[in-house]
Structure formats: structure tokens, C-alpha cells
Amino acid sequence: MQTEKIQKPTTLPKPQLSFWQIWNMSFGFLGIQYGFGLQQANMSPIFRYLHADESAIPALWLAGPMTGLLVQPIIGAMSDRTWSERWGRRKPFFLIGALITSIALVLMPNSTSLWMAASLMWMLDAGLNVSMEPFRAFIGDKLNDKQRDLGFAVQSFFVGFGQTLANLMPRILPLFGITMVAAGANGIPDFVKYAFYVGAVAVLAAVLWTVYTTKEYPPEDMVAFEREKREGGGLLHIFTEVGVALREMPTTMRQLWWVKFFTWYGLPLMWQYLSLAIARHAFNAPSPESPGFEKGIEVGNDCFALFNVGCFGISFFLPAIAARIGRRATHATFLTIGGLGFLSMLISSDKSAFLIGMTMVGLAWGSILSMPYVLLSSSVPKERMGVYMGIFNGFIVVPQIINMITIPFLYKNLLGSDPLNALILCGICLILAAGACFLVKENKPSEEAALPIHPGGN
């Protein structure tokens, strides 16, 4: 079915969309986040099965932020300058990214060496980033300012729901006779392999649903859009466009830097070390050869499931909370809750401490995935929405790159070679990010005065 019809070019305000129209346009995010959920919960154990040293794991995760840094601004600028009556602006990139992701998901659990798994992670992250960035810009394209809180909240719901499904695979697959027992020379359990195969199908199916049910609006000034394509096409112009956007960055976006820095310096530690911390402290299994290591991975998946339940459980309440206390205060509050969730893991080595703590972190995750983007989307020029969403991703990936360069040197000395201490550092970082929220000023009129919105910036 076609839920919307292509609008003719217009400068009128964007119309109100129904809830189900917003649902359909965001549904592809479900598959993409299923893929991210598989990666986040399983890549560190996969690296350990392939004999990676614990201190080297952050460097192996470098693929994510590096591909994001390189891919998202370029894809954002390219999608800003793309238009097809049949395919639209963002949807071609959804499809290309979904295909790359699906291939990587099928190959990943069949890796026979550490270098193969690390290489496929670069491919997987590239595909996920190609798909994800246009979905962020899609909200700015399709929704008016009043509906953007809801749009990003729906995306947060799909982030939580998709990743929860991925995390529950160790519980679901045994119902079909697939066990935790390792199979094959690489030692990777069957449940990991089949979860990745399901993910490959889920990514394509969800993205195709959005492509089929949602039509995009054409550029408002098609004459200017076509003229700029003729006069300034090519990759060089895209890099130039990114450079111009960096120089003209809105004040609110600059102010969000420290919030994003502390958030994303800390968060990679969660994906890198949560399952390893649970295996070591709750099951006395510090290595893949230790009895109970698979049980630690299983509980780690349960923790990520509760983390994502917290995310999509809070996502629909965030707009109402933000309307009452402000977007900035809302984000600071939930970052603090997340930080306390990590610190609470010091209370006990029982698995319940990790489960409760990660549920609290999930509440913060819901805000992390929506509030900064709402603050940003209200302050940037609409004709540069894609490129600015891509640049904003740099605020996520640069701190991760710094994390993955520095943590291997800090792991033995500062963190005592203990993955639990890495989680405590993550909690401290989230609390620092909460404090940095109060450096951000919510003042849209002054933003527009500082950076007037001009047509033809595609």
C-alpha cells in the first residue's frame, strides 16, 4: 500500500502526519538496530573466541567510529543532493546500506580468524552507517518542528525494540533446537550464527517496508536544486559542502560537543566489556576456556535486552517530559540515571546487579538517541539537514576513536585489567555529560539570527 502521495514543490509548512505514517517511515530503523544489537552484544565474545587479548578489544572496535566518521557526512551530503521521482532522496541509501549489512551479517559468524572478523566488522559498520544517517535526516525532511520529538521518539522505540529482539536470541533460538554449544573450528556457538542469519533477513525486510510504504517530498525549490547539481556535482563538491557546513555550524550544535564527547567516550566501554565483566564477576569465568563463559554471554544478552526495554519503554514519555522541564534538563536527568546505573554494579557481583544497572542505563539510552537530535534538528538549516546530521555523527565517532586509542594503554594500569572497572569509568563519563548539558542554550530565534536559513543549499 502507498500511505502518502508525493507533494508538489511548496514552501508551505509540512503537514501533520498520522502516527502510522511516522511509524512506517521509521520501521526500517527496526532492522538496522537489530543489526546493531547483534554487533554490540556479540562482537567482543566473537573476538575472544578467535583468541583476541582483552586489552586489544577496543582497537578491534575501531571500525564503528571510523566508518561513521568517513561515511556519514559524505552520505548525508550525497543524499541532500539526490532526488528521483521513483526512489526519492534518502531511500536509495537505505537500500544500499541494507544490502551491505546483510552480506556482512551472514559472513561474520563464519569467520575463521581474527583478521577476518575484524575486516567484516568494517564492512558491517559501513553498511549500517550508510543506512542509518539518512534515517536521521528523514525526520527533518518529513516532519514539521512540532512532530520531530515524536519522530525521534518512534526511532528510539525501534532502536530499543530491534536491539531487544537481537539480545533475546539466546532465549528464543533454543526453542527451535539451537543450543549454546559451540560448533565448527572457530568455536563460535550456533546461537550466534543463526541470530546473525535472522538479522540479515530482518534488515532487508524492515528497510523494504519503509521504502514501499513511504514517499518522500521533493526539494522545495527544484530549479535551484537542479542548477546546483549541474554546477557543483561530484565528490569534490561534496567535501567542499561538508567544509562549508563545518564553518557555519550552528551555535547549539557547537555547544552539544561536550555532552556528546563524555557520552561517547564512555559508552563504547559498555559494548566492549559488559559481557566479559559479567562472565568474570558473576560466573568466575575470565576467559572463553573457563566454565561459565557462555553463561556470562547469555546473561550479557539479557542485560542488553533489559537495557533496550528501558530504552523503548521511556521513548514515548520523553516528549511529554521535555515539554514540562525542557529538552536540556530532560537529557541531563536521564544521563545521570544511566551513570548511576553503571556505578550500582559495584554493589554486588550477583547477576541481578548487572541486570538492574543496565535497565537504568537503558533509560539514558532512550534520551541519548532522541534529545540531542531534537535539539540539533531545530537549529540547523533544513536544506542542509543531511550533511549536518552526518557531521553531528562526528560528535559521536571522534570520542569513540579517542576511547579506542587510549583504553588499550589505560586498561592494565588505570583499570586494573578488570572489565568491571571499565563500566565504572563509563558511568563517570555519563554523569560528566549530564553536567555538560547545561552549557547548551535552547534558543531557536537566536540560532536563526546567527545562521540565517537560505534556499539552495542542497
Side-chain angles (χ1 to χ4, degrees):
M1 63 178 177
Q2 295 289 347
T3 60
E4 303 165 46
K5 294 183 179 179
I6 297 177
Q7 270 190 291
K8 294 181 179 180
T10 178
T11 57
L12 294 174
K14 295 183 179 73
Q16 292 282 112
L17 299 186
S18 72
F19 173 80
W20 291 112
Q21 287 174 315
I22 296 174
W23 176 277
N24 286 336
M25 65 180 277
S26 301
F27 191 78
F29 225 53
L30 173 66
I32 293 167
Q33 296 304 322
Y34 185 102
F36 270 118
L38 290 173
Q39 179 198 67
Q40 292 161 0
N42 294 290
M43 285 312 303
S44 285
I46 285 174
F47 289 147
R48 290 288 280 142
Y49 278 117
L50 296 171
H51 311 296
D53 186 82
E54 264 186 12
S55 64
I57 284 176
L60 292 169
W61 277 81
L62 195 59
M66 285 299 295
T67 54
L69 183 64
L70 295 171
V71 169
Q72 290 213 22
I74 294 172
I75 294 299
M78 289 176 67
S79 65
D80 281 345
R81 301 174 61 79
T82 297
W83 174 250
S84 163
E85 288 289 342
R86 180 177 182 183
W87 296 105
R89 170 176 282 181
R90 315 294 180 185
K91 292 192 294 185
F93 299 93
F94 300 164
L95 282 172
I96 293 168
L99 286 168
I100 295 171
T101 298
S102 295
I103 294 169
L105 286 172
V106 170
L107 296 176
M108 179 66 77
N110 294 296
S111 298
T112 55
S113 63
L114 186 59
W115 73 263
M116 182 177 176
S119 299
L120 284 169
M121 190 165 175
W122 282 82
M123 180 179 175
L124 175 61
D125 269 298
L128 290 168
N129 277 290
V130 168
S131 288
M132 187 174 69
E133 195 284 332
F135 265 104
R136 293 295 193 192
F138 213 28
I139 297 296
D141 292 344
K142 296 281 292 179
L143 301 181
N144 59 45
D145 189 60
K146 291 181 180 179
Q147 289 196 298
R148 285 180 185 169
D149 283 36
L150 176 60
F152 284 118
V154 171
Q155 284 197 351
S156 291
F157 170 82
F158 280 127
V159 169
F161 187 59
Q163 293 187 9
T164 299
L165 286 177
N167 301 144
L168 289 176
M169 283 295 113
R171 302 294 184 186
I172 296 171
L173 290 175
L175 301 176
F176 299 91
I178 298 168
T179 70
M180 296 287 289
V181 177
N186 64 3
I188 297 173
D190 284 346
F191 87 90
V192 174
K193 295 181 180 180
Y194 284 96
F196 274 62
Y197 300 157
V198 172
V201 176
V203 170
L204 274 177
V207 166
L208 285 170
W209 178 266
T210 288
V211 169
Y212 180 66
T213 60
T214 306
K215 289 293 185 181
E216 297 190 65
Y217 302 148
E220 292 183 359
D221 188 340
M222 186 62 76
V223 174
F225 176 80
E226 293 293 344
R227 181 178 64 248
E228 188 155 334
K229 281 183 67 177
R230 290 194 302 270
E231 294 175 354
L235 191 60
L236 179 60
H237 183 83
I238 289 171
F239 281 110
T240 302
E241 177 73 11
V242 172
V244 171
L246 283 169
R247 290 196 301 271
E248 298 178 356
M249 188 182 298
T251 304
T252 297
M253 189 171 176
R254 296 179 189 275
Q255 292 167 341
L256 282 164
W257 161 250
W258 287 110
V259 179
K260 304 296 281 185
F261 175 81
F262 287 119
T263 300
W264 287 98
Y265 183 85
L267 278 179
L269 298 168
M270 173 181 69
W271 293 301
Q272 294 158 6
Y273 288 113
L274 177 67
S275 293
L276 303 182
I278 295 170
R280 174 176 297 199
H281 288 274
F283 297 98
N284 194 29
S287 71
E289 294 75 26
S290 306
F293 188 79
E294 283 81 7
K295 191 67 177 177
I297 298 173
E298 183 178 342
V299 174
N301 274 272
D302 292 342
C303 283
F304 278 115
L306 287 175
F307 163 83
N308 288 302
V309 168
C311 171
F312 70 73
I314 198 64
S315 61
F316 288 107
F317 295 98
L318 287 173
I321 296 170
R324 180 175 292 272
I325 67 174
R327 296 164 177 173
R328 180 181 65 176
T330 297
H331 195 43
T333 298
F334 283 99
L335 285 172
T336 301
I337 292 170
L340 294 175
F342 280 117
L343 296 179
S344 71
M345 295 175 188
L346 285 171
I347 295 173
S348 170
S349 60
D350 188 80
K351 66 180 183 180
S352 61
F354 293 97
L355 292 165
I356 294 169
M358 285 302 292
T359 304
M360 295 172 65
V361 177
L363 301 178
W365 185 233
S367 183
I368 289 166
L369 294 173
S370 57
M371 286 297 108
Y373 292 97
V374 175
L375 286 163
L376 176 67
S377 67
S378 298
S379 68
V380 302
K382 58 182 178 297
E383 68 276 5
R384 285 182 176 167
M385 186 67 69
V387 69
Y388 271 121
M389 285 295 180
I391 292 172
F392 197 51
N393 188 64
F395 286 23
I396 296 173
V397 301
V398 170
Q400 290 185 71
I401 292 170
I402 296 172
N403 166 291
M404 293 166 191
I405 292 172
T406 57
I407 292 300
F409 298 101
L410 301 176
Y411 189 72
K412 292 182 180 178
N413 297 322
L414 180 66
L415 303 179
S417 297
D418 189 337
L420 179 60
N421 289 336
L423 301 181
I424 301 309
L425 176 58
C426 183
I428 294 169
C429 287
L430 290 188
I431 292 172
L432 291 173
C437 286
F438 296 98
L439 301 175
V440 182
K441 296 180 180 178
E442 294 185 71
N443 191 341
K444 186 179 178 185
S446 67
E447 280 290 342
E448 293 179 351
L451 182 61
I453 297 176
H454 297 295
N458 297 311

